[in-house]
Amino acid sequence: MPDVDAYYREDLARIHEAGFGDYADACAPGVLGLLEPGVDVLEIGCGSGALTKHLIAAGHSVVATDASQPMLDLAAETVPSADLRLLRIPGDPIPSAKAIVSVGHAVNYLSSPEEIETAVMKLADALTDDGLMVIDICDLSYGDARSGVNHATVDGEGWSIEVTTIFEPPNRFIRGMTTNVELPDGTQRLGHETHINVLIDVGTVADTLSEAGFEVDLSRSIGDYDLPDGVYALVVRN
């Protein structure tokens, strides 16, 4: 398993919250449309609570988990009523739930296709009777759509981030992120994180779930929101 403590440390966690929460906002209506009213929800990779706040506002009881403690600290500010827990799949025990949700391709942060498949199966097995799981996963085609080396810079209020993305065939997608945060005394703090995502044949994961007796749908959208190229929604029912 990768060194999860190297992912989303304090500065990058706050930048992600400030500048990149729109993906969860876009997915939220579709996720909510799949859920029965007022169910117990387990959220994997909650981040700073961007999706969590929609789940709670809709009347669901949420156990919101993440592998990054700085992200959970931010989520505590965003959704203080949520049950927030540090959870690192697939090794940690997974609480059972009527619904399991995840947006932001959290499972692709695992170290191998085998570990991803193990994690997805463990999540599906944690569903209670007539449960539902909806998660997004980056397929192998995610890399095909983003070949080569790409650079981008995003500026926000009191922060900036430079991102270099590299696709390493056949299944590694690497982002180097240099952060610059303005401190209260006017000085600046530089930081850097390298995130490695492992891509997987999502169809193979779906087949494995189907063989285990789950009902599985693959979709290129969540509700009315069309997912980015190479990202699939995996909807699982038991």
Side-chain angles (χ1 to χ4, degrees), residues 1-72:
M1 187 172 182
D3 179 7
V4 291
D5 290 320
Y7 290 160
Y8 290 108
R9 298 190 295 272
E10 182 180 357
D11 285 350
L12 183 58
R14 288 200 174 274
I15 288 172
H16 190 275
E17 178 192 35
F20 301 94
D22 52 347
Y23 179 73
D25 291 335
C27 291
V31 171
L32 294 174
L34 290 167
L35 302 179
E36 298 176 7
V39 298
D40 294 334
V41 179
L42 172 66
E43 184 182 3
I44 303 296
C46 69
S48 60
L51 176 63
T52 320
K53 67 178 184 287
H54 294 285
L55 294 166
I56 290 177
H60 299 292
S61 175
V62 183
V63 174
T65 72
D66 202 276
S68 164
Q69 186 60 51
M71 279 296 199
L72 289 173

Side-chain angles (χ1 to χ4, degrees), residues 2-184:
D3 179 7
V4 291
D5 290 320
Y7 290 160
Y8 290 108
R9 298 190 295 272
E10 182 180 357
D11 285 350
L12 183 58
R14 288 200 174 274
I15 288 172
H16 190 275
E17 178 192 35
F20 301 94
D22 52 347
Y23 179 73
D25 291 335
C27 291
V31 171
L32 294 174
L34 290 167
L35 302 179
E36 298 176 7
V39 298
D40 294 334
V41 179
L42 172 66
E43 184 182 3
I44 303 296
C46 69
S48 60
L51 176 63
T52 320
K53 67 178 184 287
H54 294 285
L55 294 166
I56 290 177
H60 299 292
S61 175
V62 183
V63 174
T65 72
D66 202 276
S68 164
Q69 186 60 51
M71 279 296 199
L72 289 173
D73 293 342
L74 292 176
E77 300 174 11
T78 305
V79 281
S81 61
D83 180 352
L84 300 170
R85 304 183 191 179
L86 186 71
L87 187 147
R88 292 167 176 173
I89 55 174
D92 290 349
I94 298 171
S96 60
K98 180 74 171 182
I100 296 175
V101 303
S102 181
V103 300
H105 54 82
V107 297
N108 292 101
Y109 275 87
L110 300 178
S111 61
S112 68
E114 293 77 18
E115 194 171 43
I116 293 172
E117 193 163 314
T118 296
V120 173
M121 284 300 305
K122 284 189 173 183
L123 290 171
D125 285 337
L127 290 171
T128 58
D129 290 344
D130 299 319
L132 167 78
M133 177 170 73
V134 54
I135 63 175
D136 63 347
I137 304 182
C138 296
D139 183 66
L140 290 173
S141 58
Y142 186 89
D144 297 338
R146 296 163 181 81
S147 60
V149 179
N150 297 283
H151 303 277
T153 300
V154 180
D155 295 310
E157 185 175 349
W159 59 266
S160 66
I161 183 169
E162 296 181 6
V163 184
T164 299
T165 59
I166 304 170
F167 172 53
E168 285 189 352
N171 67 349
R172 287 190 3 140
F173 189 70
I174 301 169
R175 285 173 295 156
M177 290 170 281
T178 299
T179 57
N180 190 341
V181 175
E182 184 176 334
L183 301 177

